[in-house]
Amino acid sequence: MSSLSLPIETDRLVLRTFERSDIDDLCAYHMLPTMQRYVFSRTRDEAEVACALAIMRNHVSLQRPGDTLTLAMVRKGDKILIGHVSLNWSDATAGQGEVRFCINPSYSGQGFAKEALGALLDLAFDHFRIHRIFARCDGRSHHSIKLMQQMGMRLEAHYREHALFQGEWDEELHFAILDREWQRSAKVKELPLRHRVA
Amino acid sequence: MAFVLPQEPVLRLRQPLRKLLEGQENAMALYPTYPLHTERLTLRPFTRGDVDGVFAYRRLDEVARYLFDHPLSREECALAVQQRITQIGLAEVDDKIILAVELSETGALIGEVSLIWRSVEARQGEVGWIFDPGYQGKGFATEAANFMLDLAFGPGDMHRVSARCDVRNEASWRLMERLGMRREAHFREHAIFKSSWDEEYIYAILWQEWRRLRHPQEEIS
């Protein structure tokens, strides 16, 4: 496996690992009630966000199963951190990975999350050779549901009242996509000179 | 499916109300009084004498195909029976009740049913079964599994009970549908099972759905 080359550039975004100076931009969306509603870790004040940031700054590569790679979505031009995506290598034997994503609601609805998630799926399937990627979300999180459908992910599970989450019965959806189902981006990759014929 | 409801409460719930009042979690526990009877079947704890009866079906390829085990030897059956002898009550998370199912008429051992406590806080359970294929097609598995649902939702006070099987195990998921369970998940190639990609169904039923099946006339408030 060739080494991971970061940051990753998409049309409008740069995906890079987190830095200490990201705290303010991260606080701008991670503490919002709309965000807190669906996340596992509680980050209600700046100290808790700082803890989360410290953890995410260590998510720099996938070396062994259980590792996570978290990438900040930074808008080209104004360099504003607008969200993040992460890839967790959950199982090596069966080549399984999980993706998660968060976006600052001020920047949602413009396709940024889709752009970042697409790049992350490319990375997961092409670089890390993962066989199946899944993502989970709350049954009420309709933006997430729409995004995963746009990515071509299939609804694999719809659990009803299978657990308690934030004091309520949880409704959870699982979406998944296999490597052979993932449509690579139309972008033509330039072959290195030595691979060209004649 | 008709059920013989016991004349007197054969299911005794060792649930000290005092503990509940004291606000302790895990105050619930389920220790049914055995044997349990359905219309045609007797559900009872395993005993040492069941080794040959278990070996009769657990040695078969067709039984082992969709289980995590391979076909068992007689020694492995003895070990399995040994483990099951004490699996008769639920006191904490991941405890299992695994019961031998025998025909009340002849006393023949035809399989086993199980109930696992998956989550205490969220009151989740999981049911499972293994049956001797020689007794298929007579509704015995449905009868026994339905009884386990009654055990889970009645004295067990569970909120949701799930079951899982390989997608190719049609007999098993057909049974889940007969029990009134809904297909909640269809996982594809999410794991390796016996050296090939696994494809799995998860079915589940909620307390209110079970209640409506058993008491179709009643309105649930």
Tab-separated table of all heavy atoms in Angstrom, chain A residues 91 93-96 131-132 154 156-164 169 174 178 180-181, chain B residues 121-124 159-160 182-192 197 202 206 208-209:
chain	number	residue	atom	x	y	z
A	91	ASP	N	-13.011	-3.543	10.612
A	91	ASP	CA	-12.694	-4.967	10.555
A	91	ASP	C	-11.722	-5.215	9.405
A	91	ASP	O	-11.993	-4.838	8.268
A	91	ASP	CB	-14.000	-5.757	10.355
A	91	ASP	CG	-13.793	-7.258	10.324
A	91	ASP	OD1	-12.622	-7.701	10.305
A	91	ASP	OD2	-14.797	-7.991	10.301
A	93	THR	N	-10.297	-8.408	8.543
A	93	THR	CA	-10.519	-9.682	7.854
A	93	THR	C	-11.561	-9.543	6.755
A	93	THR	O	-11.390	-10.042	5.647
A	93	THR	CB	-11.027	-10.750	8.847
A	93	THR	OG1	-10.464	-10.482	10.116
A	93	THR	CG2	-10.681	-12.123	8.370
A	94	ALA	N	-12.649	-8.867	7.084
A	94	ALA	CA	-13.731	-8.740	6.117
A	94	ALA	C	-13.688	-7.389	5.403
A	94	ALA	O	-14.596	-7.070	4.650
A	94	ALA	CB	-15.079	-8.935	6.814
A	95	GLY	N	-12.647	-6.592	5.627
A	95	GLY	CA	-12.484	-5.326	4.927
A	95	GLY	C	-13.632	-4.355	5.120
A	95	GLY	O	-14.196	-3.846	4.155
A	96	GLN	N	-13.977	-4.089	6.368
A	96	GLN	CA	-15.127	-3.239	6.649
A	96	GLN	C	-14.701	-1.865	7.172
A	96	GLN	O	-13.746	-1.757	7.937
A	96	GLN	CB	-16.012	-3.888	7.723
A	96	GLN	CG	-16.442	-5.298	7.405
A	96	GLN	CD	-17.481	-5.351	6.306
A	96	GLN	OE1	-18.514	-4.695	6.380
A	96	GLN	NE2	-17.204	-6.129	5.265
A	131	HIS	N	-13.634	-3.294	1.532
A	131	HIS	CA	-14.615	-4.030	0.726
A	131	HIS	C	-16.023	-3.443	0.856
A	131	HIS	O	-16.795	-3.438	-0.090
A	131	HIS	CB	-14.631	-5.493	1.174
A	131	HIS	CG	-15.650	-6.316	0.448
A	131	HIS	ND1	-15.515	-6.647	-0.886
A	131	HIS	CD2	-16.837	-6.847	0.841
A	131	HIS	CE1	-16.571	-7.356	-1.270
A	131	HIS	NE2	-17.386	-7.489	-0.240
A	132	ARG	N	-16.338	-3.007	2.072
A	132	ARG	CA	-17.698	-2.498	2.309
A	132	ARG	C	-17.625	-1.331	3.277
A	132	ARG	O	-16.943	-1.399	4.287
A	132	ARG	CB	-18.570	-3.601	2.901
A	132	ARG	CG	-19.970	-3.167	3.350
A	132	ARG	CD	-20.743	-4.362	3.880
A	132	ARG	NE	-21.957	-4.007	4.571
A	132	ARG	CZ	-22.045	-3.697	5.867
A	132	ARG	NH1	-20.973	-3.701	6.624
A	132	ARG	NH2	-23.206	-3.402	6.403
A	154	ARG	N	-27.004	1.756	-0.089
A	154	ARG	CA	-28.267	1.035	0.091
A	154	ARG	C	-28.668	1.057	1.565
A	154	ARG	O	-27.821	0.962	2.445
A	154	ARG	CB	-28.100	-0.426	-0.313
A	154	ARG	CG	-28.059	-0.700	-1.786
A	154	ARG	CD	-27.715	-2.152	-2.030
A	154	ARG	NE	-26.320	-2.450	-1.725
A	154	ARG	CZ	-25.898	-3.008	-0.604
A	154	ARG	NH1	-26.746	-3.373	0.331
A	154	ARG	NH2	-24.614	-3.223	-0.419
A	156	GLU	N	-29.563	-0.816	4.519
A	156	GLU	CA	-29.419	-2.230	4.906
A	156	GLU	C	-30.173	-2.544	6.186
A	156	GLU	O	-30.536	-3.692	6.406
A	156	GLU	CB	-27.938	-2.590	5.107
A	156	GLU	CG	-27.179	-2.743	3.816
A	156	GLU	CD	-25.955	-3.626	3.964
A	156	GLU	OE1	-25.486	-3.827	5.096
A	156	GLU	OE2	-25.462	-4.093	2.932
A	157	ALA	N	-30.344	-1.567	7.038
A	157	ALA	CA	-31.011	-1.879	8.303
A	157	ALA	C	-31.821	-0.682	8.785
A	157	ALA	O	-31.441	0.470	8.573
A	157	ALA	CB	-30.005	-2.272	9.370
A	158	HIS	N	-32.936	-1.006	9.379
A	158	HIS	CA	-33.780	0.014	9.988
A	158	HIS	C	-34.214	-0.547	11.344
A	158	HIS	O	-35.174	-1.301	11.428
A	158	HIS	CB	-34.993	0.274	9.092
A	158	HIS	CG	-35.916	1.323	9.635
A	158	HIS	ND1	-36.991	1.784	8.941
A	158	HIS	CD2	-35.923	1.996	10.808
A	158	HIS	CE1	-37.631	2.701	9.660
A	158	HIS	NE2	-36.998	2.841	10.809
A	159	TYR	N	-33.450	-0.219	12.357
A	159	TYR	CA	-33.746	-0.719	13.702
A	159	TYR	C	-34.754	0.195	14.372
A	159	TYR	O	-34.630	1.425	14.303
A	159	TYR	CB	-32.479	-0.747	14.559
A	159	TYR	CG	-31.470	-1.754	14.129
A	159	TYR	CD1	-30.163	-1.367	13.864
A	159	TYR	CD2	-31.801	-3.094	14.027
A	159	TYR	CE1	-29.212	-2.300	13.488
A	159	TYR	CE2	-30.866	-4.031	13.653
A	159	TYR	CZ	-29.560	-3.631	13.391
A	159	TYR	OH	-28.625	-4.546	13.023
A	160	ARG	N	-35.717	-0.413	15.008
A	160	ARG	CA	-36.706	0.395	15.732
A	160	ARG	C	-36.641	0.082	17.216
A	160	ARG	O	-36.750	-1.069	17.617
A	160	ARG	CB	-38.105	0.089	15.199
A	160	ARG	CG	-38.338	0.615	13.789
A	160	ARG	CD	-39.736	0.262	13.322
A	160	ARG	NE	-40.726	0.753	14.272
A	160	ARG	CZ	-41.931	0.207	14.417
A	160	ARG	NH1	-42.279	-0.818	13.677
A	160	ARG	NH2	-42.771	0.677	15.303
A	161	GLU	N	-36.453	1.114	18.005
A	161	GLU	CA	-36.501	0.989	19.470
A	161	GLU	C	-35.575	-0.111	19.976
A	161	GLU	O	-35.917	-0.870	20.872
A	161	GLU	CB	-37.953	0.767	19.922
A	161	GLU	CG	-38.867	1.862	19.385
A	161	GLU	CD	-40.317	1.758	19.858
A	161	GLU	OE1	-40.603	0.942	20.735
A	161	GLU	OE2	-41.154	2.521	19.338
A	162	HIS	N	-34.401	-0.179	19.395
A	162	HIS	CA	-33.448	-1.240	19.724
A	162	HIS	C	-32.489	-0.829	20.836
A	162	HIS	O	-31.688	-1.630	21.286
A	162	HIS	CB	-32.631	-1.604	18.487
A	162	HIS	CG	-31.704	-0.500	18.077
A	162	HIS	ND1	-30.353	-0.668	17.960
A	162	HIS	CD2	-31.948	0.809	17.820
A	162	HIS	CE1	-29.809	0.487	17.622
A	162	HIS	NE2	-30.743	1.389	17.528
A	163	ALA	N	-32.555	0.443	21.231
A	163	ALA	CA	-31.649	0.934	22.261
A	163	ALA	C	-32.203	2.254	22.781
A	163	ALA	O	-33.157	2.802	22.220
A	163	ALA	CB	-30.254	1.142	21.682
A	164	LEU	N	-31.576	2.735	23.844
A	164	LEU	CA	-31.929	4.054	24.337
A	164	LEU	C	-30.831	5.014	23.918
A	164	LEU	O	-29.651	4.712	24.031
A	164	LEU	CB	-32.058	4.041	25.865
A	164	LEU	CG	-33.248	3.237	26.400
A	164	LEU	CD1	-33.128	3.053	27.901
A	164	LEU	CD2	-34.559	3.918	26.051
A	169	TRP	N	-36.243	6.211	22.936
A	169	TRP	CA	-36.053	5.042	22.096
A	169	TRP	C	-35.342	5.476	20.834
A	169	TRP	O	-35.679	6.494	20.232
A	169	TRP	CB	-37.389	4.388	21.734
A	169	TRP	CG	-37.978	3.619	22.857
A	169	TRP	CD1	-39.172	3.847	23.456
A	169	TRP	CD2	-37.397	2.498	23.544
A	169	TRP	NE1	-39.370	2.928	24.463
A	169	TRP	CE2	-38.302	2.099	24.534
A	169	TRP	CE3	-36.203	1.788	23.401
A	169	TRP	CZ2	-38.053	1.025	25.400
A	169	TRP	CZ3	-35.950	0.727	24.254
A	169	TRP	CH2	-36.867	0.352	25.240
A	174	HIS	N	-28.978	1.965	8.885
A	174	HIS	CA	-27.644	1.623	8.392
A	174	HIS	C	-27.681	1.678	6.871
A	174	HIS	O	-28.551	1.067	6.254
A	174	HIS	CB	-27.256	0.189	8.777
A	174	HIS	CG	-26.873	0.022	10.202
A	174	HIS	ND1	-25.726	-0.623	10.592
A	174	HIS	CD2	-27.478	0.424	11.332
A	174	HIS	CE1	-25.659	-0.618	11.904
A	174	HIS	NE2	-26.721	0.000	12.384
A	178	LEU	N	-20.799	-1.503	-1.363
A	178	LEU	CA	-19.675	-2.408	-1.585
A	178	LEU	C	-18.717	-1.775	-2.590
A	178	LEU	O	-19.119	-0.910	-3.368
A	178	LEU	CB	-20.169	-3.751	-2.129
A	178	LEU	CG	-21.152	-4.525	-1.255
A	178	LEU	CD1	-21.654	-5.760	-1.990
A	178	LEU	CD2	-20.485	-4.924	0.060
A	180	ARG	N	-17.573	-2.832	-5.342
A	180	ARG	CA	-17.967	-2.949	-6.754
A	180	ARG	C	-19.207	-2.106	-7.091
A	180	ARG	O	-19.540	-1.919	-8.253
A	180	ARG	CB	-18.201	-4.409	-7.122
A	180	ARG	CG	-19.315	-5.078	-6.357
A	180	ARG	CD	-19.556	-6.492	-6.886
A	180	ARG	NE	-20.606	-7.146	-6.138
A	180	ARG	CZ	-20.431	-7.772	-4.974
A	180	ARG	NH1	-19.226	-7.837	-4.445
A	180	ARG	NH2	-21.436	-8.336	-4.347
A	181	GLU	N	-19.887	-1.615	-6.060
A	181	GLU	CA	-21.059	-0.775	-6.317
A	181	GLU	C	-20.697	0.710	-6.420
A	181	GLU	O	-21.488	1.511	-6.894
A	181	GLU	CB	-22.082	-0.937	-5.181
A	181	GLU	CG	-22.685	-2.314	-5.097
A	181	GLU	CD	-23.512	-2.517	-3.831
A	181	GLU	OE1	-23.234	-1.856	-2.806
A	181	GLU	OE2	-24.419	-3.338	-3.861
B	121	GLU	N	-30.882	-2.213	30.163
B	121	GLU	CA	-31.417	-0.859	30.199
B	121	GLU	C	-32.485	-0.642	29.129
B	121	GLU	O	-33.543	-0.079	29.402
B	121	GLU	CB	-30.262	0.135	29.998
B	121	GLU	CG	-30.647	1.564	30.243
B	121	GLU	CD	-29.619	2.526	29.675
B	121	GLU	OE1	-28.921	2.152	28.713
B	121	GLU	OE2	-29.520	3.643	30.194
B	122	ALA	N	-32.203	-1.111	27.905
B	122	ALA	CA	-33.150	-0.902	26.818
B	122	ALA	C	-34.093	-2.095	26.646
B	122	ALA	O	-34.859	-2.134	25.696
B	122	ALA	CB	-32.405	-0.625	25.515
B	123	ARG	N	-34.013	-3.061	27.546
B	123	ARG	CA	-34.911	-4.228	27.571
B	123	ARG	C	-34.977	-4.939	26.230
B	123	ARG	O	-36.027	-5.095	25.625
B	123	ARG	CB	-36.292	-3.782	28.049
B	123	ARG	CG	-36.253	-3.396	29.528
B	123	ARG	CD	-37.336	-2.435	29.964
B	123	ARG	NE	-38.639	-2.733	29.453
B	123	ARG	CZ	-39.513	-1.790	29.090
B	123	ARG	NH1	-39.202	-0.514	29.180
B	123	ARG	NH2	-40.690	-2.131	28.650
B	124	GLN	N	-33.804	-5.361	25.780
B	124	GLN	CA	-33.697	-6.032	24.494
B	124	GLN	C	-33.388	-7.517	24.682
B	124	GLN	O	-32.570	-7.877	25.539
B	124	GLN	CB	-32.550	-5.423	23.674
B	124	GLN	CG	-32.655	-3.929	23.484
B	124	GLN	CD	-33.714	-3.548	22.488
B	124	GLN	OE1	-33.755	-4.077	21.384
B	124	GLN	NE2	-34.576	-2.626	22.876
B	159	HIS	N	-38.759	-5.169	25.765
B	159	HIS	CA	-39.398	-4.203	24.877
B	159	HIS	C	-39.271	-4.606	23.410
B	159	HIS	O	-40.134	-4.320	22.598
B	159	HIS	CB	-38.769	-2.825	25.072
B	159	HIS	CG	-39.399	-1.776	24.215
B	159	HIS	ND1	-40.650	-1.274	24.487
B	159	HIS	CD2	-38.996	-1.183	23.065
B	159	HIS	CE1	-40.976	-0.396	23.545
B	159	HIS	NE2	-39.989	-0.334	22.667
B	160	ARG	N	-38.170	-5.247	23.093
B	160	ARG	CA	-37.947	-5.656	21.695
B	160	ARG	C	-37.181	-6.964	21.701
B	160	ARG	O	-36.238	-7.130	22.485
B	160	ARG	CB	-37.142	-4.584	20.960
B	160	ARG	CG	-36.723	-4.939	19.526
B	160	ARG	CD	-35.964	-3.769	18.910
B	160	ARG	NE	-35.304	-4.105	17.669
B	160	ARG	CZ	-34.086	-4.637	17.586
B	160	ARG	NH1	-33.400	-4.927	18.671
B	160	ARG	NH2	-33.545	-4.888	16.395
B	182	ARG	N	-40.622	-8.470	12.015
B	182	ARG	CA	-40.359	-7.691	10.803
B	182	ARG	C	-38.890	-7.803	10.430
B	182	ARG	O	-38.040	-7.849	11.307
B	182	ARG	CB	-40.633	-6.202	11.039
B	182	ARG	CG	-42.038	-5.775	11.134
B	182	ARG	CD	-42.113	-4.330	11.617
B	182	ARG	NE	-41.748	-4.228	13.032
B	182	ARG	CZ	-40.564	-3.861	13.490
B	182	ARG	NH1	-39.581	-3.516	12.654
B	182	ARG	NH2	-40.308	-3.815	14.778
B	183	ARG	N	-38.602	-7.775	9.125
B	183	ARG	CA	-37.199	-7.765	8.710
B	183	ARG	C	-36.643	-6.364	8.916
B	183	ARG	O	-37.098	-5.410	8.290
B	183	ARG	CB	-37.084	-8.153	7.234
B	183	ARG	CG	-35.648	-8.342	6.785
B	183	ARG	CD	-35.565	-8.685	5.309
B	183	ARG	NE	-36.182	-9.978	5.032
B	183	ARG	CZ	-36.392	-10.426	3.797
B	183	ARG	NH1	-36.055	-9.697	2.751
B	183	ARG	NH2	-36.960	-11.603	3.633
B	184	GLU	N	-35.684	-6.249	9.809
B	184	GLU	CA	-35.118	-4.923	10.105
B	184	GLU	C	-33.794	-4.699	9.404
B	184	GLU	O	-33.392	-3.565	9.186
B	184	GLU	CB	-34.911	-4.751	11.626
B	184	GLU	CG	-36.200	-4.539	12.384
B	184	GLU	CD	-35.966	-3.840	13.715
B	184	GLU	OE1	-34.830	-3.855	14.222
B	184	GLU	OE2	-36.936	-3.277	14.252
B	185	ALA	N	-33.087	-5.754	9.108
B	185	ALA	CA	-31.784	-5.565	8.479
B	185	ALA	C	-31.486	-6.664	7.485
B	185	ALA	O	-31.890	-7.814	7.646
B	185	ALA	CB	-30.676	-5.521	9.535
B	186	HIS	N	-30.794	-6.263	6.434
B	186	HIS	CA	-30.304	-7.193	5.431
B	186	HIS	C	-28.867	-6.768	5.143
B	186	HIS	O	-28.637	-5.865	4.342
B	186	HIS	CB	-31.173	-7.109	4.173
B	186	HIS	CG	-30.697	-7.984	3.054
B	186	HIS	ND1	-31.351	-8.077	1.854
B	186	HIS	CD2	-29.641	-8.823	2.954
B	186	HIS	CE1	-30.702	-8.923	1.057
B	186	HIS	NE2	-29.657	-9.377	1.701
B	187	PHE	N	-27.950	-7.371	5.846
B	187	PHE	CA	-26.540	-7.014	5.689
B	187	PHE	C	-25.912	-7.866	4.594
B	187	PHE	O	-26.116	-9.075	4.547
B	187	PHE	CB	-25.780	-7.233	6.997
B	187	PHE	CG	-26.174	-6.276	8.072
B	187	PHE	CD1	-26.641	-6.725	9.289
B	187	PHE	CD2	-26.082	-4.909	7.869
B	187	PHE	CE1	-27.007	-5.841	10.286
B	187	PHE	CE2	-26.448	-4.016	8.858
B	187	PHE	CZ	-26.905	-4.488	10.071
B	188	ARG	N	-25.171	-7.208	3.724
B	188	ARG	CA	-24.522	-7.933	2.639
B	188	ARG	C	-23.013	-7.804	2.755
B	188	ARG	O	-22.484	-6.712	2.809
B	188	ARG	CB	-24.988	-7.385	1.298
B	188	ARG	CG	-26.447	-7.721	1.002
B	188	ARG	CD	-26.883	-7.113	-0.317
B	188	ARG	NE	-25.964	-7.495	-1.379
B	188	ARG	CZ	-25.778	-6.789	-2.493
B	188	ARG	NH1	-26.440	-5.674	-2.676
B	188	ARG	NH2	-24.936	-7.198	-3.407
B	189	GLU	N	-22.346	-8.939	2.780
B	189	GLU	CA	-20.879	-8.990	2.765
B	189	GLU	C	-20.285	-8.131	3.878
B	189	GLU	O	-19.275	-7.465	3.686
B	189	GLU	CB	-20.340	-8.581	1.386
B	189	GLU	CG	-20.971	-9.421	0.289
B	189	GLU	CD	-20.382	-9.194	-1.098
B	189	GLU	OE1	-19.355	-8.507	-1.208
B	189	GLU	OE2	-20.954	-9.728	-2.068
B	190	HIS	N	-20.904	-8.171	5.026
B	190	HIS	CA	-20.465	-7.356	6.155
B	190	HIS	C	-19.480	-8.102	7.048
B	190	HIS	O	-18.966	-7.547	8.004
B	190	HIS	CB	-21.674	-6.933	6.992
B	190	HIS	CG	-22.340	-8.088	7.664
B	190	HIS	ND1	-22.567	-8.138	9.012
B	190	HIS	CD2	-22.779	-9.266	7.153
B	190	HIS	CE1	-23.149	-9.297	9.289
B	190	HIS	NE2	-23.291	-9.983	8.194
B	191	ALA	N	-19.272	-9.374	6.753
B	191	ALA	CA	-18.368	-10.177	7.572
B	191	ALA	C	-18.018	-11.439	6.788
B	191	ALA	O	-18.591	-11.692	5.722
B	191	ALA	CB	-19.040	-10.554	8.897
B	192	ILE	N	-17.075	-12.178	7.337
B	192	ILE	CA	-16.722	-13.460	6.736
B	192	ILE	C	-17.398	-14.545	7.554
B	192	ILE	O	-17.306	-14.550	8.782
B	192	ILE	CB	-15.195	-13.689	6.778
B	192	ILE	CG1	-14.451	-12.540	6.106
B	192	ILE	CG2	-14.846	-15.033	6.148
B	192	ILE	CD1	-14.340	-12.611	4.627
B	197	TRP	N	-18.277	-14.692	2.036
B	197	TRP	CA	-18.982	-13.494	2.471
B	197	TRP	C	-20.296	-13.867	3.135
B	197	TRP	O	-21.013	-14.732	2.658
B	197	TRP	CB	-19.258	-12.556	1.281
B	197	TRP	CG	-18.035	-11.888	0.776
B	197	TRP	CD1	-17.475	-12.037	-0.458
B	197	TRP	CD2	-17.205	-10.974	1.490
B	197	TRP	NE1	-16.345	-11.263	-0.553
B	197	TRP	CE2	-16.148	-10.603	0.626
B	197	TRP	CE3	-17.233	-10.426	2.776
B	197	TRP	CZ2	-15.151	-9.718	0.996
B	197	TRP	CZ3	-16.236	-9.543	3.151
B	197	TRP	CH2	-15.214	-9.197	2.268
B	202	ILE	N	-31.740	-9.644	9.969
B	202	ILE	CA	-32.122	-9.476	11.365
B	202	ILE	C	-33.612	-9.141	11.377
B	202	ILE	O	-34.067	-8.259	10.645
B	202	ILE	CB	-31.299	-8.373	12.055
B	202	ILE	CG1	-29.828	-8.807	12.129
B	202	ILE	CG2	-31.844	-8.088	13.461
B	202	ILE	CD1	-28.917	-7.796	12.760
B	206	LEU	N	-41.564	-5.717	18.400
B	206	LEU	CA	-41.660	-4.859	19.572
B	206	LEU	C	-42.779	-5.353	20.487
B	206	LEU	O	-43.688	-6.053	20.051
B	206	LEU	CB	-41.958	-3.414	19.162
B	206	LEU	CG	-40.904	-2.724	18.301
B	206	LEU	CD1	-41.410	-1.368	17.833
B	206	LEU	CD2	-39.606	-2.556	19.079
B	208	GLN	N	-45.324	-3.844	21.699
B	208	GLN	CA	-46.681	-3.469	21.303
B	208	GLN	C	-47.166	-4.305	20.116
B	208	GLN	O	-48.363	-4.560	19.980
B	208	GLN	CB	-46.787	-1.959	21.015
B	208	GLN	CG	-45.826	-1.393	20.007
B	208	GLN	CD	-44.557	-0.866	20.644
B	208	GLN	OE1	-44.059	-1.439	21.605
B	208	GLN	NE2	-43.997	0.211	20.106
B	209	GLU	N	-46.234	-4.733	19.266
B	209	GLU	CA	-46.624	-5.580	18.130
B	209	GLU	C	-47.011	-6.985	18.610
B	209	GLU	O	-47.964	-7.594	18.125
B	209	GLU	CB	-45.466	-5.663	17.126
B	209	GLU	CG	-45.156	-4.330	16.477
B	209	GLU	CD	-43.823	-4.294	15.752
B	209	GLU	OE1	-42.923	-5.108	16.071
B	209	GLU	OE2	-43.672	-3.447	14.865
